[in-house]
Amino acid sequence: MKQGFEDLITRFPAPSNMNRYADMLEWMGNTEALADLLETRFRWIVPEIWYGETTEDQFEYAFATLQEADAVLKSRRDAEQPEA
């Protein structure tokens, strides 16, 4: 699945495809890859891609997903810092 999305994004680097990729990674529970995507290439939220009845619901779902990735990024940074 990941390679398929990588190929798709290489050919069609639209924000909607990046959002679909992020959603798929969240669905798979791959927060490490989701964190990599957030850190390197994810730039825009396209609410129509995310679950929810309203735009507000869709943004909430997207933000919750991205917060999972952000938690991984923070954990990585904390692990990289030397202890005093």
Side-chain angles (χ1 to χ4, degrees), residues 9 28 46 62 65-66:
I9 289 169
M28 291 177 63
V46 179
T65 298
L66 297 175

Side-chain angles (χ1 to χ4, degrees), residues 15-76:
S16 58
N17 287 335
M18 195 67 66
N19 279 250
R20 286 183 180 94
Y21 190 15
D23 182 48
M24 186 272 307
L25 290 170
E26 190 272 335
W27 175 76
M28 291 177 63
N30 193 340
T31 54
E32 291 292 329
L34 182 59
D36 292 340
L37 186 68
L38 177 61
E39 185 175 43
T40 60
R41 299 181 283 168
F42 192 95
R43 298 292 177 258
W44 297 279
I45 293 175
V46 179
E48 297 82 12
I49 300 307
W50 301 90
Y51 299 106
E53 294 292 320
T54 66
T55 302
E56 182 179 331
D57 292 342
Q58 293 165 326
F59 271 113
E60 285 180 18
Y61 190 89
F63 282 130
T65 298
L66 297 175
Q67 283 178 326
E68 291 177 28
D70 187 55
V72 171
L73 293 175
K74 286 177 182 173
S75 176
R76 288 178 187 173

